[in-house]
Structure formats: C-alpha cells, structure tokens
Amino acid sequence: MNAKEKAIGVFDSGLGGISVLRDLKRFMPHEHYLYYGDSSFAPYGEKTREEITKRCEEICAFFIHQGVKAIVIACNTATSACVKELREEYPNLPIIGMEPAVKVAVDGKENQNVLVMATRFTLKEKKFENLLSRYSKQHVIYRQPCPELVELVEHDELDQQDKVENTLREYFSHYDMDEIDSIVLGCTHFIFFKETIRKLCGDRIQIVDGNAGTIRHVKELLAEKNELCDDTKQGSIQIFNSSKDPYYKTLSQKLLESTLGL
Ligand code: DGL
C-alpha cells in the first residue's frame, strides 16, 4: 500500500485520547485513523511504569500489525512511562507523545503561578521533574493529581454537572485560585472539562492543553516524510477498545461527536 494511504494509530488508556482524535480529524480530515482505547486497564495514572509499558507495547504491536504510518500516544501518562522505549523499538516510525503544556502556559511571561492538573503517575515522573526544572526558578508550578476526572469520563458522567463541578471545586479548594495565572490540562481526559473549569474559574485564568501542539507536530512529521494523505481522499476512523463491552465503543463515538472542550 502507498505509504500516504496508511492509517495513523492513536491510543490512550481509555477515552481521553478521543479529544486528540477529534482535533486530528478536524485538522487533517483526509487521513485514516485507528483509535485504541485501553479502557479495561484504565486508569494508567494509578499503575506502575512496568504495567503501563507492557500495555503500550502490546497496543503498538497491534498498530504495527495493522500497518500504520505513525503512532500518536494521546496520553501524557503513557508518554512519560515509555515513549523512549517505544521509539527505540520502532526507530523508523514517527511516534508522537504528549506532555503537560507548561511551556505554553508561561511563554513570554514572568513570575507565573501555574496549576498543572494531570495524573499521579505523570506528576511524579522524572520526565515531569525535568520539565519543571526548566521553569521552576522563574515560576511557581503546583501539581494536582485528578484521578476522579478520568473516572467521570470513563463512566459517561460528563453531563452530571453537579458532580463534575463538585469534583473540580474540591481540587481547586487546595489553592488560592485568585493567585493562579494558568491551568494546564496535562491529561487528555481533562479536555472535556474545559467549559466547566472556565465557568468555575472565570476568564482571567488561562487554560492550556497540549492538543493543538501535538496535532501540528503530527502533520509536520508526516509532511517531512511526504506521507500526508492526498486531500482529494475521504478519511476514516476505526475504533478499537480492550474492553469487549460495546458500551465503550458507543461512548467513544459520543465523545468524538461531542463539542465539549473544543
Ligand atoms: N488520558 C491519560 C493522560 O493523558 C491518562 C488517564 C489515566 O488513565 O489515568 O495522562
């Protein structure tokens, strides 16, 4: 098969990566996408590096078998656990990972107070420490693990507004929110909460995420290899999930069509 026609594999611990797939589809509508949600093993944020790495290796082997031209790790947690190992294993394949967009939050500014919302795993990893060491002299960076937000997405509870707001309020209650300049959504599940966070925090606080930067990077890498699909072609999306329960495919489709966080 012509390399241009091959699919792009996108995966996450569950359904958070659908927020990335949704952006990819809007930005590059002519591409073919395979999405793998590892919902039967979510949340990755509460697992060990070894456990996460094993799952990611299996998912990538599945994508390779399907003949993908690139893999997007639509998961900050999986990226911090094993992007290096996956790149070593597949040196000829573009593998695009994600990390909390702290750089975007502080870009061109001084003395910022930044609240990073992510998984426990992402926030305690060396990769995040390295990222922080670049910014923590000039800025104050707070880290807030938010495991309940992952559950709300996986359990299809995004429309339970009271529950969503109470969960977010509880996280924010640990900070003086008047002092916070930016919130970084360092987990792809959290994109779906953007409007509610805006409602609770007001317009003064900047809310940033890594989705836009990631999809631009995917396009650049494919363009460099001359492997972008022709824009005369019709794109497609195929959804896979490690859970056999059809609920996950239905929910994936619902989130793909949702405008939450756009
Ligand atoms: N969506 C994932 C991320 O971006 C992790 C959620 C989880 O499984 O804990 O980090």
Side-chain angles (χ1 to χ4, degrees):
M1 189 201 278
N2 176 349
K4 292 183 175 188
E5 300 293 316
K6 291 182 176 176
I8 300 171
V10 183
F11 78 92
D12 178 40
S13 62
L15 307 181
I18 296 276
S19 67
V20 181
L21 176 67
R22 195 176 59 172
D23 287 347
L24 281 164
K25 181 181 162 241
R26 295 174 66 207
F27 195 55
M28 296 189 284
H30 309 287
E31 297 291 336
H32 301 289
Y33 299 99
L34 305 182
Y35 182 84
Y36 192 98
D38 197 8
S39 295
S40 66
F41 201 70
Y44 279 7
E46 305 292 309
K47 304 283 189 306
T48 65
R49 170 194 290 276
E50 291 69 30
E51 289 171 322
I52 300 167
T53 303
K54 188 167 177 292
R55 298 301 295 189
C56 295
E57 283 173 346
E58 285 172 16
I59 296 167
C60 287
F62 167 75
F63 281 149
I64 298 296
H65 188 71
Q66 300 285 323
V68 299
K69 62 182 174 185
I71 293 178
V72 181
I73 309 176
C75 178
N76 296 255
T77 309
T79 303
S80 44
C82 58
V83 67
K84 192 164 160 282
E85 287 76 3
L86 295 174
R87 287 187 179 136
E88 279 165 11
E89 209 165 325
Y90 304 108
N92 299 322
L93 192 75
I95 298 185
I96 299 92
M98 298 186 73
E99 67 178 9
V102 177
K103 183 171 185 287
V104 180
V106 300
D107 205 24
K109 304 187 188 97
E110 283 172 16
N111 304 324
Q112 294 291 291
N113 291 323
V114 180
L115 174 59
V116 181
M117 300 169 76
T119 66
R120 223 181 295 281
F121 186 91
T122 300
L123 295 173
K124 72 173 170 52
E125 273 305 285
K126 182 114 187 50
K127 201 166 186 301
F128 189 68
E129 286 297 337
N130 292 342
L131 181 71
L132 281 199
S133 64
R134 276 188 258 151
Y135 302 106
S136 53
K137 278 200 192 76
Q138 281 187 49
H139 309 284
V140 181
I141 320 266
Y142 300 101
R143 341 171 175 200
Q144 179 60 53
C146 308
E148 286 89 352
L149 297 186
V150 177
E151 300 299 333
L152 288 172
V153 175
E154 295 291 314
H155 297 158
D156 193 15
E157 292 178 324
L158 283 170
D159 50 5
Q160 296 194 23
Q161 196 59 20
D162 286 349
K163 191 166 180 180
V164 168
E165 287 187 20
N166 289 338
T167 307
L168 286 166
R169 268 201 201 94
E170 160 62 21
Y171 291 134
F172 296 148
S173 70
H174 304 129
Y175 308 92
D176 179 354
M177 293 305 286
D178 291 338
E179 296 287 312
I180 299 292
D181 299 300
S182 299
I183 292 177
V184 174
L185 304 178
C187 168
T188 51
H189 282 75
F190 302 170
I191 306 300
F192 298 113
F193 298 95
K194 220 185 258 180
E195 282 88 357
T196 311
I197 295 175
R198 164 80 50 235
K199 179 180 165 201
L200 297 182
C201 298
D203 289 334
R204 190 192 55 79
I205 297 184
Q206 174 186 220
I207 304 173
V208 301
D209 64 71
N211 282 23
T214 302
I215 59 172
R216 269 201 310 274
H217 191 43
V218 176
K219 189 169 187 181
E220 278 161 18
L221 288 179
L222 289 174
E224 260 169 38
K225 297 184 80 185
N226 194 25
E227 288 185 3
L228 283 170
C229 234
D230 292 333
D231 56 15
T232 50
K233 298 275 160 69
Q234 176 142 30
S236 66
I237 293 181
Q238 229 181 318
I239 292 179
F240 302 87
N241 199 287
S242 55
S243 167
K244 296 284 161 278
D245 189 339
Y247 156 86
Y248 285 104
K249 277 201 188 167
T250 310
L251 181 53
S252 300
Q253 200 56 45
K254 179 175 167 188
L255 290 170
L256 194 57
E257 285 157 23
S258 140
T259 54
L260 276 179
L262 279 182

